[in-house]
Amino acid sequence: MKLNIAVLPGDGIGPEIVDQAQKVIDAVAVKFGHEVKYTNALVGATAIDKVGNPYPDETHDICMDSDAVLFGAIGDPKYDNDPKAKVRPEQGLLAMRKKLGLYANIRPVSTFPSLLDKSPLRLDIVEGADFVVVRELTGGIYFGEKGRSEDLTKAFDTCTYTTEEIERILKLAFSYAGKRDKRLTVIDKANVLATSRLWRETAQGMEADYKDIEVDYMFVDNAAMQLIQWPKKFDVMVTENMFGDIISDEASVITGSLGLLPSASVGIHTSVFEPIHGSYPQAAGKDIANPIATVLSAAMLLESLDLLDEAKAVREAVNQSLEKGVVTEDISKDGKAYKTSEVGDWLAAAIK
């Protein structure tokens, strides 16, 4: 099979961790007889510095022509620390989501037996936790009308959703629940927000089409609390953009490291696969960043192309590396830490 993958390394540690994911994909290609073509493109602060646009048209064209997009991270302190900056790296991410129609972010969260002690929560709480957060990506307050008054003393951000947008994300969430434990939790703030009431009404109207799925509804503040108290009670969680941003980051703590969790952004035109963590500029160029989340994102990429055995081979290699302690310093146990590049090399060799 010929794979055409757009590669957007981005900023900070992005290039280093994406390099390791490519090593793994290359190893899969050798083992299973595939041909892979990579096309690199600019995004984020790197793109601003070079062409003045965090998501250039050329990058968009490359993504549109790809089977899938492997994405690193964006963000740079020089923009984070400048509140008056007119162009920001994050604008590139929002533009990419909108232009590619990336309407859903999928974040699987599961614990690794050999790393349970890394979680800040008690072992009996997190052991066996395994759930998926489905976040709507192209609507809500992040994309609504926003502005400031002329005297700059008042600001507003508008949260807007349509029934069509909500139905689209709910169908995906119901589909994931159907493949798992057949339980779906719809998270909203329907006691206060009109958009949340539309979410709840829409979900309730769709229940009849998915009679095999057990559906419950939870206010976002209660969900945030229960996620920490009883993470094992959840199977698939679905929610709007801002709530999903917060809940999925909270969920990442359960595993003990942001460096372990992959994600997929499902799109109308193509899909983007990326780790959930940021650009970690303090570690850029030091060869110490954890590449596991990006490697597992590559496994999700392969799975999206129906290469199930290939994705399984990647996950098995990751599990072996964790069990054998072939890990970076953030999750090392006995003082023996491997470099980012060494972990990538080891995973590629294990797959081959």
Side-chain angles (χ1 to χ4, degrees):
M1 181 176 180
K2 292 184 178 180
L3 309 180
N4 181 20
I5 300 175
V7 180
L8 280 59
D11 309 321
I13 62 171
E16 298 166 67
I17 55 178
V18 166
D19 277 350
Q20 313 320 310
Q22 287 183 258
K23 289 177 185 177
V24 166
I25 293 173
D26 288 339
V28 164
V30 170
K31 182 172 182 175
F32 291 89
H34 301 302
E35 182 181 330
V36 184
K37 176 189 175 185
Y38 299 110
T39 307
N40 278 53
L42 298 172
V43 72
T46 304
I48 296 175
D49 292 343
K50 291 189 177 179
V51 298
N53 183 345
Y55 185 61
D57 291 341
E58 183 181 358
T59 297
H60 179 64
D61 292 341
I62 289 171
C63 291
M64 287 289 287
D65 290 338
S66 69
D67 297 319
V69 179
L70 181 62
F71 180 68
I74 59 169
D76 190 291
K78 68 183 176 185
Y79 296 101
D80 296 340
N81 297 328
D82 182 5
K84 294 183 179 179
K86 293 182 179 179
V87 182
R88 297 181 176 278
E90 291 75 17
Q91 290 172 329
L93 185 58
L94 295 179
M96 180 169 66
R97 289 172 180 171
K98 204 70 174 179
K99 289 183 178 181
L100 292 179
L102 304 176
Y103 66 92
N105 183 242
I106 313 298
R107 292 193 180 183
V109 179
S110 59
T111 53
F112 298 91
S114 59
L115 295 176
L116 288 173
D117 61 324
K118 292 291 183 180
S119 174
L121 302 180
R122 290 199 322 263
L123 185 146
D124 61 297
I125 292 175
V126 299
E127 188 174 20
D130 182 0
F131 58 91
V132 175
V133 180
V134 180
R135 167 192 170 193
E136 202 286 326
L137 268 189
T138 58
I141 199 168
Y142 291 170
F143 289 95
E145 185 180 355
K146 50 182 60 60
R148 298 276 294 273
S149 61
E150 289 186 8
D151 63 2
L152 303 180
T153 61
K154 182 179 179 181
F156 64 91
D157 297 278
T158 308
C159 184
T160 304
Y161 270 107
T162 66
T163 301
E164 182 182 9
E165 289 174 318
I166 298 168
E167 286 179 342
R168 181 173 62 180
I169 191 75
L170 285 171
K171 284 179 183 177
L172 190 65
F174 273 112
S175 172
Y176 267 86
K179 297 172 185 175
R180 292 174 52 89
D181 200 32
K182 301 187 184 302
R183 293 182 292 116
L184 178 64
T185 302
V186 181
I187 298 171
D188 59 33
K189 193 64 177 170
N191 56 336
V192 176
L193 301 176
T195 47
S196 282
R197 286 191 282 276
L198 180 60
W199 269 77
R200 188 167 291 211
E201 290 168 9
T202 304
Q204 289 172 338
M206 294 174 66
E207 281 190 48
D209 296 328
Y210 301 92
K211 291 185 171 137
D212 59 329
I213 308 295
E214 177 188 337
V215 184
D216 70 319
Y217 299 85
M218 198 174 289
F219 295 146
V220 64
D221 41 356
N222 184 30
M225 178 184 67
Q226 294 204 35
L227 185 58
I228 294 301
Q229 290 180 307
W230 304 290
K232 286 182 278 192
K233 76 175 290 181
F234 295 102
D235 182 34
V236 177
M237 310 165 77
V238 62
T239 190
E240 60 101 63
N241 205 340
M242 184 171 71
F243 294 163
D245 194 359
I246 297 167
I247 286 288
S248 56
D249 277 1
E250 181 192 16
S252 70
V253 175
I254 291 170
T255 65
S257 174
L258 279 173
L260 296 173
L261 296 182
S263 77
S265 294
V266 177
I268 297 170
H269 304 293
T270 189
S271 295
V272 177
F273 301 85
E274 60 180 302
I276 74 163
H277 56 70
S279 61
Y280 193 13
Q282 301 89 338
K286 295 181 181 179
D287 204 19
I288 60 172
N290 190 341
I292 294 297
T294 315
V295 169
L296 289 174
S297 297
M300 294 182 75
L301 184 157
L302 294 168
E303 201 168 43
S304 75
L305 300 175
D306 292 326
L307 301 176
L308 305 185
D309 289 338
E310 289 84 339
K312 182 180 178 183
V314 174
R315 293 193 178 99
E316 287 177 349
V318 167
N319 287 334
Q320 290 174 28
S321 75
L322 295 176
E323 290 171 3
K324 295 178 182 294
V326 184
V327 296
T328 46
E329 63 181 27
D330 58 313
I331 54 174
S332 65
K333 291 184 178 182
D334 56 3
K336 170 60 176 174
Y338 288 74
K339 297 293 187 182
T340 307
S341 54
E342 291 173 335
V343 173
D345 291 340
W346 192 96
L347 290 169
I351 290 169
K352 289 178 182 177

